[in-house]
Amino acid sequence: AGRVVWRNRRGLLPAEHLVRRDDQLGVFILRDGRAVFVPIPDAQEGRPSAIDQEPHTLLVTEGRQRLQHGTEVSLIGNTEQAE
């Protein structure tokens, strides 16, 4: 019996947060009140992906499937985690 611990300095994003735009997989982040699509070059469908963003970057989670690059976005709920 044993335990495997894997540490990665880059954050791993769960696969369910990935979206496809123009044949690229990536995520939407919030920047200056707008959704910005950030492609993840090595992302694969159904697998967690390494993402190279600052730890405090706000990731769009609700409504991301219909979202388009540049769309205005509002924060809802608990914004204390965003600071």
Side-chain angles (χ1 to χ4, degrees):
R3 186 174 112 178
V4 175
V5 177
W6 176 44
R7 296 181 200 270
N8 187 339
R9 291 184 186 183
R10 295 169 61 189
L12 284 180
L13 183 70
E16 62 265 17
H17 291 293
L18 295 174
V19 292
R20 184 174 292 281
R21 296 293 183 273
D22 297 323
D23 290 326
Q24 292 183 309
L25 286 172
V27 294
F28 280 101
I29 62 169
L30 181 64
R31 185 179 298 147
D32 299 325
R34 298 201 174 269
V36 175
F37 180 72
V38 178
I40 303 175
D42 297 329
Q44 297 176 359
E45 298 259 9
R47 302 187 88 176
S49 296
I51 183 169
D52 192 19
Q53 293 289 318
E54 294 294 322
H56 62 275
T57 300
L58 297 178
L59 182 70
V60 177
T61 56
E62 297 292 322
R64 67 188 175 278
Q65 298 301 339
R66 295 181 309 270
L67 201 56
Q68 295 300 315
H69 180 82
T71 303
E72 277 191 46
V73 196
S74 299
L75 288 174
I76 58 172
N78 184 359
T79 59
E80 289 180 18
Q81 295 176 351
E83 297 175 10

